[in-house]
Amino acid sequence: MGRKLLLEHINVPGINTFDVYRQNGGYRALEKALKTMSSDDIVEEVKKSGLRGRGGAGFPTGMKWSFLAKPEGKARYLVCNADESEPGTFKDRYLMTYIPHLLVEGMIVSSFALGANTSYIYVRGEMMPQIRILEKAIAEAKAAGFLGKNILGSGFDHEVYVQPGGGAYICGEETALIESLEGKRGNPRIKPPFPAISGLYNCPTVVNNVETIAAVVPIVNDSGDEYAKLGIGRSTGTKLISASGNLNKPGVYEIELGVSVEEFIYSDEYCGGIANGKRLKAVVAGGSSVPILPANLILKTANGENRLMTYESLAEGGFATGTMLGSGGFVAFDEDQCIVRNTWNFSRFYHHESCGQCSPCREGTGWMEKVLHRLEYGHGKLSDIDLLVDVSKKIEGNTICPLGDAAAWPVASAIRHFRDEFEWHVTNPKEAMERNFGLAHY
Ligand code: NAD
Ligand code: SF4
């Protein structure tokens, strides 16, 4: 069994309550941090741990923290990005639901490290149960003296507030989230300046994902060096993976980074193989914002080695820049799934969620959706396939925020790896309609 750092106690009855969390070692990291460590000590441990942002970008957390500006007379903020909306990603919701105090403890310890007296957890608006759970956990922590003034006699004052979002995917982009938190429409800002220099109310701000902040607790408890012993290379520690699609055992798993993709899909410890005895066709390994890969490429690298669940292995041989581990939204497609239909579905999502600020994204996502729709519904032309590639190239790299790239990559990668299926939709529209809808209404 792989080592668990975040979900070790997840099956303990009542672990969502303060008392049970405490009985199982909860708030030990907070006591250690506030009584025996300086802010710089904690930042140093996080740097040593090699922890990378678990929201999707994989940016080194300790480095991000050390970029935080410290101008005289200005507040600093920690904002937890709990606006989890990436299709196929549901691990933050799981963590907040079942072990909310891990996040609350991580928020207080991280805020102490950053010198932030106020922090916010910006939760996706649809997650009302989680909002209530977090509010209860915060009230319990406060009643126990872990929040408020002069926590544990350390001189550190801190308050955590939960802020519901409005349900727009773009508010998960950190600068759009900050705009929304300030009460404005959630439009992304141009970076730089990065939030670490000018974020919430123009003050230095660290925006971290739920899982990233939770991981600070075991790092402080056990040390950064211990955390870094788990994983491989620059992919240290453990990662929560939301597994869905045609799997025998979909769910949230905590893996040690470095497990092979094959083991993750087929072993009984994790997903238990493809459902109904079908064959694997393709995988989106990190939420819909990363390229789709066919089964042969997701299981083996170009050298024939096992592909690993690490930032590096999943980027190698990939379609675009960046990592495909992303947010850990692992979606498996079996041999019966239609790649054209799935690509259209993703495009529809991005078109709907584009904030409309930049024309390549606003117009391009709409074009891609329309062209994919006609391909899927039997009215496409062969030239549409290259048109899609062309539109995706015109979006990629030409937008304010990563939503543009996120919309372009699934389309470009699907055509790159499954062009024959797109062509089949054009040359056999009736069969394609029958296959996908079970009726001949072409
Ligand atoms: P990014 O690479 O632009 O930034 C990563 C982080 O590092 C940010 O916090 C940024 O402020 C910081 N940073 C980078 N360079 C910096 C510098 N020079 N100085 C200070 N700070 C610096 O990526 P991003 O826009 O934060 O995230 C994109 C990712 O989000 C995508 O890869 C996607 O996988 C993921 N995503 C996740 C969800 C979800 O629900 N979890 C939803 C949408 C997208
Ligand atoms: Fe808005 Fe899209 Fe531009 Fe991002 S890329 S700012 S979502 S229009």
Side-chain angles (χ1 to χ4, degrees):
M1 286 286 274
R3 178 98 190 270
K4 307 275 179 270
L5 297 180
L6 305 182
L7 304 187
E8 188 185 355
H9 301 297
I10 201 80
N11 292 323
V12 175
I15 195 69
N16 59 329
T17 63
F18 177 85
D19 289 343
V20 178
Y21 180 73
R22 190 89 173 104
Q23 284 154 21
N24 284 272
Y27 290 100
R28 208 161 37 91
L30 175 67
E31 290 177 311
K32 181 177 174 185
L34 268 61
K35 288 182 178 168
T36 68
M37 296 171 85
S38 69
S39 301
D40 289 347
D41 292 340
I42 302 171
V43 175
E44 201 46 43
E45 288 307 314
V46 172
K47 275 190 188 162
K48 280 189 200 159
S49 73
L51 175 66
R52 293 167 66 176
R54 300 302 196 216
F59 193 84
T61 306
M63 192 188 293
K64 195 197 274 195
W65 284 15
S66 60
F67 286 157
L68 189 70
K70 295 177 178 146
E72 274 293 303
K74 270 203 168 180
R76 270 167 260 154
Y77 294 105
L78 171 66
V79 176
C80 172
N81 187 344
D83 192 60
E84 185 175 57
S85 328
E86 181 78 345
T89 312
F90 41 89
K91 45 105 189 164
D92 293 339
R93 182 175 50 178
Y94 183 83
L95 206 141
M96 291 187 285
T97 308
Y98 295 109
I99 187 154
H101 281 283
L102 189 64
L103 175 60
V104 175
E105 183 177 6
M107 289 294 290
I108 306 167
V109 174
S110 305
S111 297
F112 176 67
L114 298 168
N117 296 116
T118 306
S119 64
Y120 296 91
I121 308 177
Y122 184 97
V123 188
R124 181 178 171 172
E126 287 92 336
M127 295 191 201
M128 279 318 289
Q130 287 71 27
I131 289 167
R132 296 209 178 92
I133 289 168
L134 285 172
E135 280 172 343
K136 178 167 175 277
I138 289 168
E140 286 175 333
K142 190 157 186 176
F146 293 144
L147 275 168
K149 296 258 175 236
N150 191 21
I151 302 168
L152 303 181
S154 64
F156 176 61
D157 304 337
H158 192 71
E159 296 293 348
V160 185
Y161 299 99
V162 178
Q163 175 62 47
Y169 172 74
I170 195 57
C171 289
E173 195 284 330
E174 59 177 359
T175 59
L177 188 158
I178 289 170
E179 288 280 300
S180 169
L181 203 48
E182 290 178 358
K184 294 180 259 172
R185 182 188 160 105
N187 280 354
R189 298 175 182 171
I190 290 174
K191 294 192 279 189
F194 289 94
I197 307 299
S198 178
L200 187 63
Y201 309 121
N202 295 324
C203 293
T205 303
V206 163
V207 183
N208 277 148
N209 169 259
V210 171
E211 183 187 346
T212 313
I213 293 171
V216 171
V217 173
I219 290 169
V220 168
N221 270 330
D222 303 337
S223 85
D225 284 337
E226 279 303 306
Y227 187 88
K229 283 182 188 161
L230 298 175
I232 294 183
R234 290 183 55 237
S235 294
T236 59
T238 65
K239 170 94 191 83
L240 298 182
I241 305 289
S242 329
S244 66
N246 304 115
L247 295 163
N248 276 323
K249 295 196 298 167
V252 175
Y253 295 98
E254 182 171 12
I255 59 159
E256 180 176 340
L257 287 166
V259 166
S260 76
V261 174
E262 188 166 5
E263 183 182 348
F264 182 67
I265 295 176
Y266 292 102
S267 79
D268 282 339
E269 186 178 349
Y270 302 113
C271 304
I274 305 302
N276 304 316
K278 300 274 181 188
R279 278 182 304 146
L280 178 68
K281 179 174 185 176
V283 166
V284 169
S288 65
S289 299
V290 304
I292 188 167
L293 277 189
N296 59 328
L297 289 183
I298 193 73
L299 295 174
K300 300 279 178 202
T301 65
N303 302 332
E305 288 165 7
N306 277 341
R307 195 175 295 281
L308 308 180
M309 301 282 279
T310 63
Y311 292 98
E312 291 73 27
S313 185
L314 282 167
E316 186 269 327
F319 182 72
T321 53
T323 174
M324 290 188 288
L325 185 62
S327 57
F330 191 97
V331 188
F333 300 89
D334 74 18
E335 55 191 305
D336 292 342
Q337 303 310 315
C338 174
I339 298 297
V340 178
R341 185 165 183 74
N342 178 65
T343 312
W344 166 56
N345 199 25
F346 280 172
S347 275
R348 198 166 49 140
F349 171 78
Y350 286 113
H351 180 212
H352 183 260
E353 297 297 339
S354 166
C355 82
Q357 273 194 108
C358 23
S359 4
C361 172
R362 182 187 62 240
E363 302 301 326
T365 52
W367 272 98
M368 291 198 301
E369 187 203 337
K370 264 185 233 154
V371 175
L372 281 159
H373 183 271
R374 71 176 180 238
L375 279 167
E376 168 65 4
Y377 282 86
H379 305 290
K381 297 175 277 185
L382 281 175
S383 59
D384 282 344
I385 302 171
D386 287 332
L387 176 63
L388 282 170
V389 175
D390 191 43
V391 175
S392 75
K393 278 192 187 142
K394 291 203 163 72
I395 301 175
E396 188 183 347
N398 293 320
T399 57
I400 293 175
C401 89
L403 189 141
D405 289 348
W409 290 342
V411 175
S413 59
I415 294 175
R416 183 184 191 185
H417 297 301
F418 297 96
R419 183 177 269 269
D420 53 347
E421 202 166 323
F422 284 81
E423 289 172 354
W424 185 76
H425 270 256
V426 176
T427 53
N428 300 277
K430 192 167 172 217
E431 288 82 347
M433 290 283 286
E434 277 176 1
R435 188 186 73 174
N436 284 351
F437 303 106
L439 48 96
H441 63 281
Y442 167 65

